[in-house]
Amino acid sequence: MTTAQTTSKSAAAIDKARAEGRAALIGYLPAGYPSVEETIAAGIALAENGADLIEIGIPYSDPVMDGQVIQAATTEALAKGFSVSQVFDVVQGITSRTDAAVLVMTYWNPVVRMGVDEFSRRLAEAGGAGLITPDLIPDEAAEWMEASDKYGLDRVFLVAPSSTTERMQRTVDASRGFVYAVSIMGVTGARTSVSTAAKDVVAAAHAAGAERVCVGLGVSNAGQVREIAGYAEGVIVGTALVAAIRDGGVDAVAALTKDLSTGLSRTGLTEEEA
């Protein structure tokens, strides 16, 4: 194996946060919303205000996992003419200005349409860390496994409260960088409380050998971040950030990120919480 194949930008970012006594903060933004330039500016604001990793979502015409806020944003981006290849401009725009690990989150169809090898090559050239693939399971990912090894990219698969022991093991074994733990069964969206199932999913992933598990779906404030930081290596925030850029632009993204990051520290936790 070459160095490129064994070096994970996502793992390095999470490990750096862990060495500082905190969980990593992962922020999601839809590419092209409100514009490509504003997505780049918001990504830079995320990195400058406490985000360790950044997810850039490819707008999709028929999202199966996204709640209303993200759906509305991606619909607008598509209506303005966003094309899949522009995601590489977004990634490069952020990686050229920050040290954050930048991953692309996408349903699998756009990758297949471009060509798995072509997509992977362009993502690597743009400085991207890897892909988060909500609707791709390891059993059907042979081509992606090969391309991700070839270009040194992280492959982040999802686990959920419904994952069987066998499915959990297979997903953990196939993932590189981190494992994405879905905290609820349902679509994305800010919620008033974090599902208790999240802790169980993280524990199951850890039991299967996962070194880094990050929790997403429903996280919207510093209190929820603090709760998840007690048991997971990373906290993923999406809908709240998309609402921030919708309502207040890049400045609102910066302010929310700064506030969210206050919940990351593991210092002061009781032994049981840590």
Side-chain angles (χ1 to χ4, degrees):
M1 253 194 185
T2 65
T3 307
Q5 291 169 335
T6 54
T7 303
S8 163
K9 292 181 180 178
S10 302
I14 294 167
D15 290 350
K16 182 174 180 287
R18 182 157 41 187
E20 294 170 3
R22 59 184 179 83
L25 179 62
I26 304 163
Y28 167 92
L29 297 167
Y33 177 78
S35 66
V36 168
E37 293 74 21
E38 284 168 293
T39 309
I40 293 170
I44 293 167
L46 270 169
E48 290 178 344
N49 288 278
D52 304 283
L53 299 91
I54 297 166
E55 289 180 27
I56 299 297
I58 292 182
Y60 196 66
S61 56
D62 186 26
V64 294
M65 185 175 142
D66 299 317
Q68 289 183 332
V69 172
I70 293 175
Q71 272 193 34
T74 55
T75 299
E76 186 176 320
L78 289 169
K80 289 178 178 175
F82 181 86
S83 65
V84 172
S85 61
Q86 286 178 291
V87 77
F88 306 117
D89 300 329
V90 174
V91 171
Q92 188 154 27
I94 299 169
T95 58
S96 64
R97 296 274 303 276
T98 77
D99 293 329
V102 181
L103 299 106
V104 168
M105 186 172 198
T106 180
Y107 296 102
W108 195 236
N109 189 48
V111 181
V112 173
R113 285 193 65 175
M114 180 174 288
V116 178
D117 190 87
E118 170 81 357
F119 191 103
S120 301
R121 179 183 62 78
R122 292 179 69 177
L123 179 60
E125 287 175 355
L131 284 179
I132 301 168
T133 52
D135 63 342
L136 181 70
I137 57 174
D139 320 48
E140 299 169 0
E143 200 175 354
W144 166 227
M145 304 283 265
E146 184 181 336
S148 57
D149 282 346
K150 181 178 176 181
Y151 296 106
L153 296 169
D154 292 334
R155 43 181 186 254
V156 179
F157 295 102
L158 278 67
V159 294
S162 59
S163 298
T164 62
T165 304
E166 182 191 12
R167 170 67 55 200
M168 179 69 74
Q169 189 66 60
R170 188 174 294 185
T171 306
V172 167
D173 291 345
S175 296
R176 178 165 57 222
F178 64 94
V179 175
Y180 191 125
V182 177
S183 62
I184 44 156
M185 301 302 289
V187 298
T188 60
R191 286 169 170 78
T192 52
S193 62
V194 178
S195 164
T196 52
K199 195 169 187 176
D200 296 335
V201 178
V202 172
H206 283 153
E211 293 180 40
R212 303 166 197 86
V213 186
C214 301
V215 174
L217 267 65
V219 185
S220 62
N221 60 55
Q224 293 168 346
V225 169
R226 187 172 295 107
E227 182 186 334
I228 293 169
Y231 57 81
E233 284 71 43
V235 188
I236 302 163
V237 181
T239 297
L241 287 165
V242 180
I245 196 168
R246 176 195 68 199
D247 298 338
V250 173
D251 288 347
V253 170
L256 177 59
T257 307
K258 189 171 285 188
D259 180 56
L260 291 166
S261 68
T262 64
L264 295 169
S265 178
R266 289 171 153 170
T267 54
L269 293 176
T270 67
E271 197 170 307
E272 188 178 307
E273 287 175 314

